[in-house]
Amino acid sequence: MSTLLQHLARIAPVLKEAPLRALLALYAEAETAEPGALISASSRKLAARTGLARSNAQRALDQLAEAGVIEAVSPGTRTGAASFRLPQVP
């Protein structure tokens, strides 16, 4: 099993469904990015990728950041996506 899957398997039991869906979508987005790169995530795109309502997608991102699972680097605006940094998986 890859280290990313092991990492997700460790934290998945403590996450509710919406934050877990959001986290999986963020890691899928980060798959092609440089390690440690910022990931942009708009609630609209995240909602489309996860099947969540837009408000639930935003709440999931907030919950992940508050729990320290992801790092919120810059907040979103009405016209721009928020930026997040995912933890490095050994």
Side-chain angles (χ1 to χ4, degrees), residues 5 11 26 29 41 51 65 78 87-88:
L5 288 177
I11 63 173
L26 290 174
E29 180 80 19
R78 292 179 70 190
Q88 295 292 319

Side-chain angles (χ1 to χ4, degrees), residues 4 22-41 49 70 84-89:
L4 174 58
L23 185 61
L24 291 171
L26 290 174
Y27 271 113
E29 180 80 19
E31 197 170 37
T32 58
E34 296 279 329
L38 295 181
I39 305 301
S40 293
R49 280 191 225 130
I70 61 175
F84 299 91
R85 184 170 286 121
L86 302 176
Q88 295 292 319
V89 178

Side-chain angles (χ1 to χ4, degrees), residues 1-87:
M1 185 184 300
S2 76
T3 55
L4 174 58
L5 288 177
Q6 290 172 347
H7 170 70
L8 291 171
R10 276 193 307 275
I11 63 173
V14 299
L15 296 176
K16 292 185 178 183
E17 182 181 350
L20 180 59
R21 283 188 192 189
L23 185 61
L24 291 171
L26 290 174
Y27 271 113
E29 180 80 19
E31 197 170 37
T32 58
E34 296 279 329
L38 295 181
I39 305 301
S40 293
S42 73
S43 56
R44 185 183 314 264
K45 283 184 180 179
L46 191 61
R49 280 191 225 130
T50 61
L52 297 169
R54 191 171 172 187
S55 61
N56 289 341
Q58 182 59 54
R59 191 171 14 262
L61 288 172
D62 292 342
Q63 290 171 348
L64 289 169
E66 287 171 10
V69 177
I70 61 175
E71 178 188 356
V73 177
S74 66
T77 64
R78 292 179 70 190
T79 58
S83 294
F84 299 91
R85 184 170 286 121
L86 302 176

